[in-house]
Amino acid sequence: ITFDTIEGSPEERIIKMYKNVVAGLIKRGYPYQKSWTHWEHEDKLKDIFEDLEDLDNITRVFEKAKYGYKLDKEDIKIAKESYEKLMHFLR
């Protein structure tokens, strides 16, 4: 997995944000298997991280974007804030 530029529709941007977080986790050596769903991946990280609020937030909004649910302004705001915190941690 590689890092993507965050562009496109709101849904496309959220999907790319989530992908970038996963790429950052992989780069830092955290567990990942391609066969895991996004929720299985988060579950595997629960044993490593005390606080998964930001990962949970971006995963929840990613799921809405990926499966065609309408995103509202609050979803986008939450995802952006969580993305920024996670990427700061992963740098």
Side-chain angles (χ1 to χ4, degrees), residues 75-88:
D75 290 327
I76 295 166
K77 179 183 175 214
I78 288 168
K80 285 173 85 173
E81 289 173 357
S82 293
Y83 177 74
E84 289 172 11
K85 289 178 190 175
L86 288 163
M87 293 308 286
H88 179 75

Side-chain angles (χ1 to χ4, degrees), residues 28-40:
R28 295 279 303 260
Y30 293 104
Y32 175 78
Q33 287 186 18
K34 211 172 189 176
S35 63
W36 291 344
T37 68
H38 45 281
W39 292 115
E40 287 173 319

Side-chain angles (χ1 to χ4, degrees), residues 21-84:
V21 168
V22 171
L25 289 165
I26 292 169
K27 187 176 178 183
R28 295 279 303 260
Y30 293 104
Y32 175 78
Q33 287 186 18
K34 211 172 189 176
S35 63
W36 291 344
T37 68
H38 45 281
W39 292 115
E40 287 173 319
H41 186 214
E42 182 178 323
D43 193 52
K44 303 292 183 193
L45 296 172
K46 283 182 183 174
D47 295 335
I48 298 168
F49 296 104
E50 281 183 27
D51 180 9
L52 288 179
E53 181 180 358
D54 288 310
L55 184 60
D56 187 66
N57 285 341
I58 201 163
T59 301
R60 191 171 31 79
V61 179
F62 161 78
E63 183 177 53
K64 286 177 82 172
K66 182 173 172 97
Y67 297 109
Y69 295 97
K70 178 99 171 110
L71 298 180
D72 59 32
K73 289 181 182 180
E74 187 64 20
D75 290 327
I76 295 166
K77 179 183 175 214
I78 288 168
K80 285 173 85 173
E81 289 173 357
S82 293
Y83 177 74
E84 289 172 11

